[in-house]
Amino acid sequence: MSSLAACGGDDSGSDSGEDVTLRVNLFGKFGYTDLYKQFEEEHPGVKIVETAEGDLGKYNTQLTQRIAAGSGAGDVVAIEEGQAVNFLASADKFVNLQEHGAKDLEDQFLPWKFAGATTADGATTIGLGTDVGGLAMCYRRDLFEKAGLPTDREAVAALWPTWDEFIATGEKFQDGIKGSDAKFIDSATNTYNSILMQSADHTYFDKDDNLVIESNPAVKAAWDKALEMDEKGISAELKSFSPEWNAGFKNGDFATIACPAWMTGYIKDQAGEENAGKWDIATVPGGGGNWGGSWLAVPADSKNQDIAIELVKFLSNADGQLAAFNAVGNLPSNPNLYEDPALQEATNPYFSDAPVGQLFVAGAANLEPVFLGAKNQPVRDAVENAMRSVENGQRSSSEGWDVAVNDAEKAAG
């Protein structure tokens, strides 16, 4: 039996010994397919059914409503980084994993990752960590070559140690790619989020959960820098996770995208096998950052709590995190893996054999958490909508900023 099974108890499907279906609600791709199969084999009578929502905003809204109602959520749910504060405010709606040995697992997670799903008094832990969002930059080697730019990942990284140099490279790309409709970046909004998430230890809310969109200079600086890219004509102006954005990966509509570790699996899925080897990965301007990551939790209304807790431990332990990394690129939050050759020496064939282990693990142990308030998602949506109105030519950057601040204040309540 592998070490994955060590977290489990007996092989019964549930406390009653009857067959049980575990419902797992996630967003995006977590890479758990093979892990589910192994868990089911080691727990006869258990069937795991996953529901994965592609739209993060929709997922967060639905999960918030279902947790508040005390019904309708899965037996295991993913809590996205921007929602942790929100759900910690209603920690009683989740199983306290400290009552099921979570404290004994604390050293299996980055300290801030474990703390991120634990109440301020330290008494309740509502989730165990999955991944963290180390940042890099994914790029199309074929489009760079057409534009007369270097394609070697180290040479590419040398083009853009700063975001200003990244923009300058984008202008060179657009000058060189004549005859093609391809743009340098996918969108201002996606790049904006990357800049913002590497700029400070908080974004729209301070650590007392007060809205600080105007007083945190990192927000306006990221806004200005991202929209400068649009003004320079280097953005494809595609909304993240829209059908058009998804098609853009396959069609070569853009040459670069700010790329947290979890994005690599998404790119491969959307771009398809016909684009294998056309993508590569380099370091991101500004030297890294942390965007993304989740926890797995068991809602208090689950009728299968014990076996659901086993599944959470199984998926979030070292082997489970490594399997997810190998499947979809999600960077583990278990620091004990950062010296493991299986992670350190990992490459990704789809991305031209990029040394993803080295690229994403290099700064992982030093990643710092970015505080996201309880109303982060609606505020972020408001700001992104305002930015898209600028991209679409409906407003100037200054007008869009005023709308962003006004709508953020409304969203924050």
Side-chain angles (χ1 to χ4, degrees):
M1 183 176 292
S2 77
S3 58
L4 276 171
C7 65
D10 61 39
D11 285 338
S12 63
S14 66
D15 292 339
S16 64
E18 298 175 355
D19 291 355
V20 62
T21 297
L22 284 179
R23 296 168 300 128
V24 178
N25 291 160
L26 310 174
F27 59 90
K29 292 184 175 295
F30 279 59
Y32 290 158
T33 301
D34 289 342
L35 293 171
Y36 292 153
K37 292 177 182 176
Q38 184 176 342
F39 190 86
E40 289 172 342
E41 289 172 359
E42 294 171 354
H43 296 78
V46 171
K47 179 177 175 58
I48 300 170
V49 176
E50 177 187 290
T51 302
E53 171 60 57
D55 186 315
L56 177 59
K58 183 178 179 180
Y59 172 84
N60 284 333
T61 298
Q62 290 178 340
L63 182 60
T64 299
Q65 292 171 344
R66 290 167 179 170
I67 292 298
S71 65
D75 296 293
V76 173
V77 300
I79 297 177
E80 185 260 343
E81 62 168 0
Q83 294 297 298
V85 173
N86 184 27
F87 287 128
L88 281 170
S90 53
D92 61 320
K93 296 286 189 177
F94 296 89
V95 172
N96 180 3
L97 297 177
Q98 289 194 32
E99 296 176 357
H100 302 272
K103 289 293 285 184
D104 295 334
L105 304 174
E106 189 169 0
D107 65 352
Q108 299 297 302
F109 304 91
L110 291 164
W112 59 265
K113 188 70 177 181
F114 189 86
T118 300
T119 54
D121 63 5
T124 302
T125 296
I126 64 172
L128 294 180
T130 59
D131 61 317
V132 291
L135 270 175
M137 184 66 70
C138 294
Y139 67 97
R140 285 280 296 252
R141 295 173 64 98
D142 58 331
L143 295 179
F144 271 49
E145 184 175 7
K146 286 182 181 179
L149 294 174
T151 59
D152 174 79
R153 65 183 65 95
E154 291 185 5
V156 168
L159 295 172
W160 56 52
T162 68
W163 286 105
D164 285 337
E165 288 163 300
F166 181 79
I167 294 173
T169 302
E171 292 182 283
K172 291 178 182 177
F173 174 87
Q174 298 302 158
D175 288 340
I177 200 74
K178 295 185 187 305
S180 169
D181 294 330
K183 295 295 185 178
F184 188 60
I185 65 171
D186 61 317
S187 68
T189 49
N190 193 50
T191 312
Y192 159 78
N193 283 314
S194 302
I195 298 171
L196 181 58
M197 292 300 286
Q198 69 176 185
S199 299
D201 62 359
H202 65 286
T203 59
Y204 304 116
F205 295 87
D206 65 19
K207 293 184 179 180
D208 293 321
D209 215 19
N210 300 307
L211 184 69
V212 291
I213 184 171
E214 288 189 285
S215 58
N216 179 5
V219 180
K220 184 59 161 58
W223 172 280
D224 290 340
K225 192 61 63 182
L227 284 176
E228 181 182 346
M229 298 181 197
D230 190 59
E231 291 164 7
K232 298 285 189 181
I234 67 174
S235 172
E237 300 180 341
L238 298 171
K239 180 182 178 181
S240 297
F241 302 103
S242 67
E244 296 78 14
W245 187 71
N246 290 339
F249 289 105
K250 186 180 294 291
N251 299 333
D253 291 341
F254 47 87
T256 70
I257 180 171
C259 195
W262 50 264
M263 184 72 79
T264 58
Y266 193 88
I267 292 173
K268 178 180 177 181
D269 186 56
Q270 296 301 325
E273 286 305 318
E274 63 267 36
N275 287 306
K278 294 180 180 179
W279 286 90
D280 208 328
I281 308 173
T283 55
V284 70
N290 183 25
W291 177 17
S294 304
W295 294 264
L296 296 177
V298 178
D301 71 301
S302 168
K303 301 299 189 293
N304 305 295
Q305 289 185 10
D306 287 348
I307 195 69
I309 292 164
E310 284 193 44
L311 181 59
V312 166
K313 292 179 179 180
F314 174 85
L315 296 173
S316 63
N317 73 10
D319 286 353
Q321 290 194 30
L322 187 58
F325 173 80
N326 289 331
V328 296
N330 290 357
L331 182 64
S333 59
N334 185 330
N336 303 308
L337 289 173
Y338 297 160
E339 301 299 323
D340 189 327
L343 187 60
Q344 279 277 350
E345 299 171 9
T347 59
N348 191 319
Y350 190 88
F351 288 84
S352 306
D353 290 320
V356 286
Q358 295 175 25
L359 282 165
F360 289 115
V361 172
N366 297 319
L367 287 178
E368 295 293 336
V370 178
F371 179 82
L372 303 172
K375 295 293 184 68
N376 173 76
Q377 188 65 49
V379 168
R380 173 180 158 177
D381 289 344
V383 174
E384 288 185 358
N385 288 338
M387 179 169 282
R388 276 191 290 274
S389 75
V390 178
E391 283 191 291
N392 295 336
Q394 297 170 275
R395 299 184 175 94
S396 68
S397 178
S398 60
E399 290 170 342
W401 175 250
D402 289 341
V403 170
V405 171
N406 183 64
D407 288 354
E409 290 172 346
K410 292 178 181 177

